[in-house]
Structures are given as C-alpha cells and as structure tokens.
Amino acid sequence: MGRIVDYLVRCIIILVGYAVASLAASAFLHVVFFASAGFEPKDAPALTLGSFVFSIPFIALFVAYFAFVPAAAVILVAEVLAKRDWLFYAVGGGVVAAVFLAFLHQAADPDFEVAGSGPMLAVLGGGIVGGFFYWLSAGRWAGGWYRRKDPPGTTSPAP
C-alpha cells in the first residue's frame, strides 16, 4: 500500500508543478509583451491590479493546454532518468516551447502562426522560465519515488 500512496503523491506533485510552470510561463509572457507594448515600470501599479490578476491565470490555461503533450514527455523522461538539475528542466521547457512553435507553423490557420523573431523568442523564454519553475516546485525530487529501498530484513514472498 505504501508504494501506491507514493505514486499518487508524486502524481499530485507533478500536477502542481505543471500548474506552477504554466503560471510562471504566462507571467513571463505578460511581462515581455507589456514591456514591448511600451508600458514602463511606473505604469505597473495600474496594470497589476486588474489585468495581471485575471489574465495571467487565464493565459496559463492556454499555455497548459498547448504544452501538455510535449511537457508530459519531458516530465516522463525526467522521472525515469531521475533528472534533478535545473538545467535539464530549463532546456526541457525550451524544447517544449520549440515543439509548440513547430505545431503553430504546421497549423492550417495562417493567423495562428507566430511570425517574427521577437514573439518566438518570447515563447522560448516562457518555456525556459516554465521549466525552471517546474524544477523549483516538483523537479528537485524527480525519480526518488520508485528507487526507494525496502527496509533491511524484509524479504519478498516466495513464488
């Protein structure tokens, strides 16, 4: 029963980490796009009161939706290989963002593509930030749940 609980707890930690990563990537994209729109730091109190509080979680839903499949692959590889360093998750977040950009390029709708190097770099940066925040919240303990040793003196049952 202990292993099943370990698996369930790890799955919950992974989901919470994914939510934190999506929120961090959304916040990064908001900061970059508000800065590129010409807003300055002195305008920040007026912006953060209403728009950031609502739009960061709202856009995080889209970030989580579009990044789910490639992020699940990166998380699975990290769990199986027990990768616990921040650089792996930051590069993995960049790979997830690159896969998302490749998906946008292959989409049939031409208005759904990110054109220009600035928005592409912002999406890649959001992926890197998201990967780093995933590491902060869930990645530092990757792989430890299945490599647990049984206490000394216990034996497996006979066949």
Side-chain angles (χ1 to χ4, degrees):
M1 190 67 170
R3 282 224 186 248
I4 294 173
V5 172
D6 288 345
Y7 295 153
L8 289 175
V9 167
R10 187 62 196 161
C11 286
I12 291 169
I13 290 171
I14 288 170
L15 287 174
V16 168
Y18 187 67
V20 168
S22 298
L23 285 168
S26 175
F28 178 81
L29 290 173
H30 275 76
V31 168
V32 167
F33 285 121
F34 272 118
S36 70
F39 293 106
E40 297 194 11
K42 65 181 178 189
D43 301 327
L47 292 173
T48 57
L49 291 178
S51 63
F52 273 18
V53 172
F54 173 74
S55 67
I56 288 177
F58 184 71
I59 298 300
L61 291 173
F62 289 101
V63 169
Y65 174 76
F66 286 114
F68 181 74
V69 173
V74 170
I75 291 169
L76 180 66
V77 167
E79 290 291 327
V80 169
L81 298 178
K83 292 291 189 179
R84 296 181 179 180
D85 55 327
W86 67 270
L87 186 60
F88 177 83
Y89 289 98
V91 170
V95 167
V96 168
V99 168
F100 169 70
L101 289 172
F103 168 74
L104 287 183
H105 183 68
Q106 296 295 327
D109 187 9
D111 294 330
F112 198 55
E113 184 176 6
V114 177
S117 62
M120 284 184 180
L121 290 175
V123 170
L124 285 173
I128 292 169
V129 168
F132 180 75
F133 273 85
Y134 179 83
W135 171 79
L136 281 176
S137 58
R140 293 183 287 173
W141 304 282
W145 51 274
Y146 71 90
R147 294 184 183 209
R148 186 180 72 174
K149 301 288 185 198
D150 290 328
T154 60
T155 59
S156 62

